[in-house]
Amino acid sequence: AQSVTQLGSHVSVSEGALVLLRCNYSSSVPPYLFWYVQYPNQGLQLLLKYTTGATLVKGINGFEAEFKKSETSFHLTKPSAHMSDAAEYFCAVSDRKVGSNSGYALNFGKGTSLLVTP
Amino acid sequence: NAGVTQTPKFQVLKTGQSMTLQCAQDMNHEYMSWYRQDPGMGLRLIHYSVGAGITDQGEVPNGYNVSRSTTEDFPLRLLSAAPSQTSVYFCASSPGQGAWEQYFGPGTRLTVT
């Protein structure tokens, strides 16, 4: 099964600084990759996704991620952090198998908690 | 559209009790799934369904049952609750057919004493 590793369970940045959240995946087939955000006591919201095509993917709230096959990475970035970006971020990979019913299941990383300081 | 809805939001059970967590979606999505979220563990797949009448096990299915009699509803049953099932449960749905992203409900926070 495909898996995801998120480096750093907690990341702290200053307001206005660059946000970089790291995600590496393992996969034997071209993956579908996702970033989700979870605000306290809420469900998960899709930030962006990579399926095929352009490797630089833009999402909501100014976030973007780049799929790098050679590095098996899908890091999430934002040029300038806002206080409202403080949340838990999850990277996920689709356990996509041709002809398999489990193709839609997502394997999640353990999450990275982003703290934004004034 | 209400999207994915879950009830109840909170529940406290005693060990050995049974209950059903409700999940419904109004987007006509084929695929639905249940995850549990525990601190430091991310989300883990419990059961999923690719359409009415079709269900299958995920990573952590023990102690849970599901059925899918309609496209809209996908209830999760705890047969005999145990403290290890204390968790936050999320239901999700996906359109399928090449659209791989999943849409999540607000969650149910379950405590088993």
Side-chain angles (χ1 to χ4, degrees):
Chain A
Q2 304 185 22
S3 65
V4 161
T5 301
Q6 291 183 240
L7 297 176
S9 58
H10 294 83
V11 170
S12 181
V13 300
S14 300
E15 190 175 18
L18 171 72
V19 176
L20 171 60
L21 304 183
R22 300 177 186 273
C23 173
N24 289 88
Y25 67 91
S26 66
S27 172
S28 58
V29 298
Y32 289 169
L33 294 157
F34 307 84
W35 275 100
Y36 284 85
V37 60
Q38 183 181 32
Y39 298 102
N41 299 314
Q42 294 188 25
L44 278 73
Q45 181 182 6
L46 180 68
L47 271 178
L48 48 79
K49 66 177 180 180
Y50 168 78
T51 54
T52 59
T55 56
L56 181 61
V57 180
K58 294 188 185 299
I60 62 172
N61 301 338
F63 284 94
E64 62 182 35
E66 186 171 11
F67 170 63
K68 291 187 176 180
K69 184 177 178 181
S70 61
E71 299 178 7
T72 62
S73 68
F74 190 57
H75 301 332
L76 181 71
T77 60
K78 183 174 180 178
S80 177
H82 294 161
M83 297 296 290
S84 60
D85 293 328
E88 188 90 14
Y89 292 81
F90 292 95
C91 183
V93 61
S94 171
D95 194 15
R96 181 170 63 94
K97 301 173 187 173
V98 175
S100 166
N101 279 340
S102 71
Y104 297 99
L106 291 179
N107 293 321
F108 283 86
K110 295 185 177 181
T112 298
S113 179
L114 177 65
L115 175 66
V116 182
T117 58
Chain B
N1 279 356
V4 179
T5 58
Q6 293 182 237
T7 56
K9 290 189 185 299
F10 302 94
Q11 183 70 50
V12 179
L13 290 179
K14 295 186 186 302
T15 298
Q17 288 184 319
S18 62
M19 78 159 295
T20 299
L21 307 185
Q22 301 292 343
C23 174
Q25 53 93 7
D26 61 358
M27 298 174 283
N28 201 32
H29 286 175
E30 293 182 4
Y31 181 86
M32 296 185 74
S33 54
W34 277 101
Y35 295 85
R36 60 177 288 172
Q37 182 180 28
D38 302 291
M41 301 289 289
L43 280 80
R44 292 180 291 168
L45 182 66
I46 304 172
H47 285 285
Y48 64 94
S49 167
V50 297
I54 307 170
T55 64
D56 206 346
Q57 297 180 350
E59 180 185 355
V60 288
N62 292 342
Y64 307 95
N65 258 356
V66 292
S67 60
R68 183 107 178 262
S69 57
T70 68
T71 300
E72 294 78 19
D73 300 300
F74 191 44
L76 178 72
R77 297 182 187 84
L78 279 69
L79 308 174
S80 177
S84 61
Q85 294 179 303
T86 294
S87 187
V88 182
Y89 292 85
F90 289 100
C91 180
S93 72
S94 172
Q97 298 297 324
W100 300 91
E101 65 271 23
Q102 295 191 27
Y103 298 88
F104 285 79
T108 294
R109 185 175 295 276
L110 175 68
T111 302
V112 183
T113 61

